[in-house]
Amino acid sequence: MLDIQETKNIGAYNSFAVQVNAKHWFEVNTLEALREIIHYNSTEIQEPILVLGGGSNLLFTKDYKGLVLQNNLKGIRVVAEDEEHVLVAVQGGENWHELVIWALDHDYYGIENLSLIPGTVGAAPIQNIGAYGVELKDVFVRLNAVQLETGEIQHFEHMDCKFAYRDSVFKQSLKGQYFITEVVLRLSKSAQPNIQYGAIQTVLNEMGVDKITPKAVSQAVIHIRQQKLPNPCQIGNAGSFFKNPIVSQRHYKLLQDDFPHMPAYVLEDGRVKIPAAWLIDQCGWKGKRVGDAGVHQKHALVLVNYGNATGKEIKDLAFDIIYDVKIRFNILLTPEVNIL
C-alpha cells in the first residue's frame, strides 16, 4: 500500500525553510514504488508532480497544490573500470557532498572541486552544478530517468542533456517531466588537482599544504564555502541565488569605461562572465535586510531567510535586485533557483 501523506508541511524539506504545504507527499525509496505512485497519480488523484531532492535549489512562494515526490533512492556502485578511470553509478537520492567524500575515500577523482555543494545527485545534472573551475558535465556519462507521465524508464547520454552554464535540457524543454533515478560518472584514478580557479591556491598556502592532493583541494573548497556561504541549517538559504551573467565583448568594453575595476572572466567563445555578486554589491544590496528576507552580509549572491520570511518576500527582494542591476549596468540577472 502506498504511504501517501496529505497536507504535508515541507518547511524542513527546502533549504530556505519557507513554511508551505504540499497537498500530497510521497517518499520514493524504490524504483518499483516510483512507478506505482506515478500509475496511481495518473489513474486516481491526477495532480501535477514536483520532484524534490534536497530542496536546496527551490523557492516556494505558495503551497504546492499537487503531489511532491521526494527522491530517496540510495546506492553507489562501480559498474566498469580500467587502469585510468572508473564508472560509478549513483542513485538519485544520494547526498552530493557525501558522494564526493566517498569518491575521495576510494581514490577516485574529478569532483573534489564540487565539495559541499548542497542537494542530491539526482538534481546535479538538472542544474549542471559547478564550482571552482569544474562542472558536472566534465565527469558525466549518462543517466536513467522515469517519465512522470508514463512511468517509462529512459536513458540520457551526455549529448542528450544539452548541458550549458547552470543549465540542461531538464531546465528547458523537459522541465518537470522526469524523475532522475541514477547518474553515471566517469572518475579518474590519477590525481590531477585543479587549483586554477578562485582562492583555492591561497587557502592551500594558508593551510600550510606542501603536497597538493585532491583531498587537500576538497578541504580548501570546504573551507572557502563555509567562510563565504551561510549554513542552511542555521539560516535559510539556497546558496547562490543568481547565475553569473555572460555578456558580449562589446558590452563589457562599454562597461569598462564607467567601471574600470569590474572583475571579469573571458570565456573560450570570447564572451565575458561577470560576477553577479560584484554587481549586486555595487548596487548597495550586500547585507541589506527587508523584514526577514535579506542579502547575506558576507556574500551578495546569497539571499537568506532570517526567520519568518515568506517565499513571496524573498522573491520580491530578488526582483528588486534584478531591477537595480539592470538599471545600473544594463545586465539582466537570471535566478539559479527554481521559483515556484
Side-chain angles (χ1 to χ4, degrees), residues 214-271:
K215 286 188 177 182
V217 171
S218 173
Q219 291 167 357
V221 170
I222 291 171
H223 176 81
I224 294 169
R225 293 183 69 89
Q226 287 177 335
Q227 292 297 311
K228 293 173 60 177
L229 303 174
N231 187 339
C233 295
Q234 299 174 347
I235 182 170
N237 74 94
S240 298
F241 195 93
F242 300 101
K243 297 179 183 179
N244 290 320
I246 298 173
V247 302
S248 66
Q249 279 276 0
R250 182 176 179 274
H251 190 174
Y252 176 62
K253 289 178 180 178
L254 289 173
L255 288 170
Q256 276 189 307
D257 292 339
D258 294 325
F259 308 97
H261 301 296
M262 172 183 287
Y265 307 93
V266 180
L267 304 179
E268 291 182 359
D269 61 7
R271 295 182 301 163

Side-chain angles (χ1 to χ4, degrees), residues 46-248:
Q46 298 180 340
E47 294 177 350
I49 296 176
L50 173 68
V51 178
L52 186 67
S56 60
N57 199 46
L58 287 172
L59 175 62
F60 288 98
T61 60
K62 55 188 175 182
D63 289 343
Y64 187 75
K65 299 186 182 302
L67 170 63
V68 175
L69 300 181
Q70 185 188 30
N71 191 339
N72 197 36
L73 299 175
K74 303 294 185 181
I76 305 173
R77 71 188 194 281
V78 173
V79 294
E81 62 181 307
D82 56 29
E83 292 183 358
E84 297 182 354
H85 295 93
V86 60
L87 296 188
V88 179
V90 190
Q91 295 295 289
E94 289 284 350
N95 176 274
W96 174 263
H97 179 65
E98 291 178 7
L99 169 64
V100 175
I101 300 304
W102 178 91
L104 289 170
D105 287 343
H106 287 78
D107 297 324
Y108 301 148
Y109 311 120
I111 55 175
E112 53 274 2
N113 290 51
L114 305 180
S115 296
L116 213 62
I117 291 180
T120 58
V121 170
I126 299 174
Q127 184 77 358
N128 184 26
I129 59 172
Y132 302 103
V134 176
E135 291 182 312
L136 178 83
K137 69 178 180 63
D138 300 331
V139 296
F140 178 88
V141 177
R142 61 181 178 270
L143 64 80
N144 296 331
V146 172
Q147 220 279 347
L148 291 173
E149 184 175 348
T150 65
E152 294 180 357
I153 299 175
Q154 295 191 22
H155 310 285
F156 292 83
E157 300 296 326
H158 195 292
M159 65 180 298
D160 300 325
C161 297
K162 299 181 180 178
F163 290 122
Y165 172 60
R166 303 298 180 271
D167 203 4
S168 74
V169 69
F170 302 105
K171 289 184 72 175
Q172 300 299 328
S173 60
L174 299 184
K175 183 176 182 179
Q177 297 182 35
Y178 287 88
F179 185 112
I180 296 176
T181 58
E182 183 177 76
V183 178
V184 178
L185 305 179
R186 182 174 183 261
L187 303 180
S188 176
K189 292 183 177 181
S190 61
Q192 298 175 323
N194 182 342
I195 59 172
Q196 303 303 312
Y197 195 93
I200 295 179
Q201 180 65 74
T202 301
V203 171
L204 288 170
N205 292 338
E206 293 173 351
M207 293 169 61
V209 174
D210 295 324
K211 183 180 180 181
I212 299 176
T213 65
K215 286 188 177 182
V217 171
S218 173
Q219 291 167 357
V221 170
I222 291 171
H223 176 81
I224 294 169
R225 293 183 69 89
Q226 287 177 335
Q227 292 297 311
K228 293 173 60 177
L229 303 174
N231 187 339
C233 295
Q234 299 174 347
I235 182 170
N237 74 94
S240 298
F241 195 93
F242 300 101
K243 297 179 183 179
N244 290 320
I246 298 173
V247 302
S248 66

